[in-house]
Amino acid sequence: MNKIGVVGAGTMGVGVTADLVLHGYEVTLVDTSFTILENAKNEICEIVRFAPILIPGIRKMSEQETLKRITFTNQYEELANSEFVIENVTEDWKIKSEVYKKLDMVCQSHVCFGVNTSCISITKLGSLTSRPSQLIGMHFMNPVILKPCIEMIRGEHTSDTTTETALKLLEQMGKESIIVNDYAGFVSNRISHLFMNEAAWVVQDQMATPQQVDEIFKKCFGHKMGPLETADLIGLDTVMHSLDVLYDSYHDPKFRCAQLLRKMVDSGYCGKKSGKGFYNYNELTKKGS
């Protein structure tokens, strides 16, 4: 495979596209917003520019060479020649269902879809298409270029051929895969979102500041990042939507989203990408400069 389609130019779509380009692939990046696509162009170039500093052995690429490998478009028809598609849109069933109906129409019949979802069932998404055996979960972690392993999820109908195709692509990207079965949230997010949500409850109850919560996880447990730093990096809106999916899927109160988290999202404080979440990144940038 050489031509990969990527749907969704948000945080994860940008990271996946940059990683694919760094490993020699041509990418068609689709999003409905020209503004988001323009921002994605700048972010991808920045990731690729700094990659050789962060990853030993990765080759340097000029901005011109980077952009030559990417087609930025709002037209799904541009995916017609893609040999594999990775979907990264927001954790919203209505939005995702429309995406898969479009992909099923425009992509060639043999093309497999990698679902970069945090929580929504692969089997459920597969039911929207005429190719349920060709859907597989590919849960990339953020930042994509620095994470050597992903969580891969087989849906009820995912074929061995699809699994092998996805594994080959990821191997060429230098990534290891851990294959798990399909239940909403899978392994990583059923567990990690409990951490992030409960951490938000702790701050809401004024037991501790975000900094204190994260310091406990880093200094006492040895985690590289605390749960609230992680939530800010993922995007608080994404965390909230994922918790809603988990709550709707299991009807278990342990997944009930903290009101503080929902209020922050309603206020536009979505974490690092918006400049403010549990931490104020605009102030941190000023201090750093």
Side-chain angles (χ1 to χ4, degrees):
M1 292 183 293
N2 184 49
K3 297 180 179 180
I4 309 297
V6 176
V7 181
T11 300
M12 294 309 298
V14 162
V16 169
T17 299
D19 210 357
L20 286 165
V21 168
L22 284 165
H23 288 87
Y25 290 96
E26 295 178 16
V27 180
T28 299
L29 179 58
V30 179
D31 201 287
T32 55
S33 166
F34 285 113
T35 301
I36 291 175
L37 285 169
E38 190 61 35
N39 290 337
K41 185 182 297 185
N42 297 328
E43 290 174 23
I44 290 165
C45 288
E46 186 173 357
I47 292 170
V48 171
R49 182 159 61 94
F50 283 104
I53 300 172
L54 302 170
I55 308 168
I58 203 81
R59 73 186 190 88
K60 293 182 179 179
M61 292 178 63
S62 67
E63 182 173 317
Q64 183 179 7
E65 186 181 0
T66 299
L67 295 178
K68 188 177 179 181
R69 289 184 174 273
I70 310 170
T71 300
F72 296 88
T73 180
N74 70 340
Q75 301 296 318
Y76 279 79
E77 289 74 16
E78 295 277 354
L79 296 170
N81 294 320
S82 295
E83 299 163 283
F84 195 99
V85 175
I86 302 173
E87 174 270 312
N88 312 269
V89 304
T90 188
E91 290 294 287
D92 183 301
W93 172 253
K94 185 177 180 181
I95 294 173
K96 280 193 184 287
S97 60
E98 291 301 316
V99 167
Y100 280 95
K101 290 173 186 175
K102 291 176 183 177
L103 290 177
D104 207 28
M105 290 176 61
V106 303
C107 293
Q108 298 179 58
S109 60
H110 68 277
V111 172
C112 299
F113 301 152
V115 187
N116 187 12
T117 180
S118 300
C119 290
I120 297 177
S121 163
I122 307 306
T123 304
K124 186 176 181 181
L125 287 169
S127 69
L128 298 170
T129 76
S130 61
R131 59 184 91 186
S133 66
Q134 291 163 236
L135 263 73
I136 189 163
M138 297 170 69
H139 186 199
F140 289 86
M141 309 296 165
N142 191 27
V144 178
I145 65 166
L146 298 180
K147 300 296 184 181
C149 186
I150 79 157
E151 181 183 34
M152 184 179 285
I153 308 101
R154 285 185 61 120
E156 183 66 27
H157 303 293
T158 303
S159 70
D160 290 342
T161 301
T162 298
T163 303
E164 290 166 9
T165 301
L167 284 170
K168 183 177 180 181
L169 171 61
L170 290 163
E171 184 181 349
Q172 291 173 343
M173 293 173 70
K175 297 192 186 298
E176 180 186 353
S177 303
I178 298 173
I179 303 175
V180 300
N181 292 322
D182 183 33
Y183 274 94
F186 325 123
V187 174
S188 61
N189 280 5
R190 279 180 69 176
I191 297 170
S192 66
H193 279 57
L194 289 175
F195 279 169
M196 290 183 279
N197 195 40
E198 196 61 31
W201 280 109
V202 164
V203 174
Q204 180 177 315
D205 293 342
Q206 298 184 341
M207 291 177 63
T209 65
Q211 292 89 342
Q212 289 172 325
V213 172
D214 286 337
E215 287 293 294
I216 287 171
F217 272 78
K218 289 187 290 185
K219 293 182 178 179
C220 298
F221 298 154
H223 292 201
K224 290 184 178 179
M225 293 181 71
L228 298 177
E229 290 174 311
T230 303
D232 271 358
L233 180 62
I234 294 170
L236 301 188
D237 52 339
T238 300
V239 173
M240 183 190 75
H241 290 313
S242 296
L243 284 165
D244 288 342
V245 171
L246 288 166
Y247 185 80
D248 290 341
S249 298
Y250 295 106
H251 299 288
D252 191 325
K254 70 185 179 185
F255 293 118
R256 183 169 60 95
C257 181
Q259 288 305 305
L260 173 61
L261 186 56
R262 200 175 296 280
K263 181 179 179 181
M264 292 174 72
V265 173
D266 289 342
S267 301
Y269 304 145
C270 292
K272 198 167 186 179
K273 63 185 176 183
S274 69
K276 186 176 181 181
F278 285 100
Y279 297 87
N280 190 326
Y281 295 93
N282 295 321
E283 286 187 1
L284 291 173
T285 301
K286 288 179 184 177
K287 288 179 182 178
S289 61

